[in-house]
């Protein structure tokens, strides 16, 4: 698929996709006319990259952990530094806290809906 389709399917601006390519996070083949051609697998890859960026990870770390997200998983870090490992541990803790907060909010909304739905059905009729 061309960059426009990848942009549309992932809701990611073309400029950002080019940046991901510059950073080595995705790779395009070049067609004879010079257009970028992306494999279907990059639809999911871009979603993963965006999620990791939203979580606060820098692209240099994302580039190193992307192989861990593939199936089959290929985990190999020849240049894992103590700084990188500390950063990943901090990000893991931060993500875990966000997941817990989201879980609490989800449960609160579910409880609220469960409480008001019976009331709404009796007052609506």
């Amino acid at each position: 698929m061309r960059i426009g389709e990848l942009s549309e399917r992932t809701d990611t601006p073309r400029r950002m996709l080019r940046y991901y390519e510059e950073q080595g996070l995705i790779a395009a083949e070049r067609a004879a006319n010079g257009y970028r051609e992306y494999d279907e697998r990059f639809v999911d890859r871009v979603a993963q990259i965006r999620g990791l960026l939203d979580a606060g990870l820098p692209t240099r770390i994302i580039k190193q952990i992307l192989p861990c997200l593939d199936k089959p998983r290929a985990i190999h870090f020849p240049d894992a530094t103590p700084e990188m490992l500390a950063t990943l541990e901090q990000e893991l803790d931060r993500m875990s806290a966000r997941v817990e907060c989201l879980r609490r909010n989800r449960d609160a909304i579910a409880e609220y809906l469960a409480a008001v739905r019976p009331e709404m059905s009796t007052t609506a009729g």
Side-chain angles (χ1 to χ4, degrees):
M1 82 188 79
R2 296 209 337 232
I3 194 168
E5 183 180 348
L6 183 61
S7 172
E8 188 175 302
R9 290 182 59 190
T10 60
D11 196 29
T12 304
R14 293 174 190 199
R15 183 175 173 184
M16 190 60 63
L17 294 173
R18 287 185 202 96
Y19 174 74
Y20 294 167
E21 191 173 345
E22 288 171 11
Q23 297 301 306
L25 304 176
I26 60 175
E29 298 293 323
R30 291 289 183 159
N33 59 7
Y35 290 161
R36 289 174 169 87
E37 292 285 338
Y38 294 94
D39 188 87
E40 180 71 24
R41 67 188 171 97
F42 288 116
V43 173
D44 288 333
R45 173 55 53 97
V46 169
Q48 289 174 318
I49 292 167
R50 291 187 65 171
L52 292 167
L53 287 168
D54 288 347
L57 285 166
T59 55
R60 66 182 171 79
I61 300 291
I62 293 171
K63 183 177 179 179
Q64 291 180 308
I65 65 170
L66 278 176
C68 301
L69 304 175
D70 290 336
K71 291 188 177 24
R73 300 194 189 289
I75 301 174
H76 178 65
F77 290 111
D79 55 350
T81 64
E83 175 195 54
M84 180 189 137
L85 296 175
T87 299
L88 286 174
E89 287 172 355
Q90 289 171 341
E91 291 304 322
L92 180 61
D93 290 345
R94 201 167 69 79
M95 285 181 200
S96 295
R98 287 179 67 190
V99 167
E100 179 59 25
C101 180
L102 286 170
R103 187 196 59 74
R104 284 192 318 267
N105 291 342
R106 180 202 61 206
D107 292 350
I109 291 170
E111 287 176 28
Y112 173 80
L113 288 172
V116 296
R117 278 192 177 137
E119 292 175 19
M120 291 176 72
S121 62
T122 59
T123 58

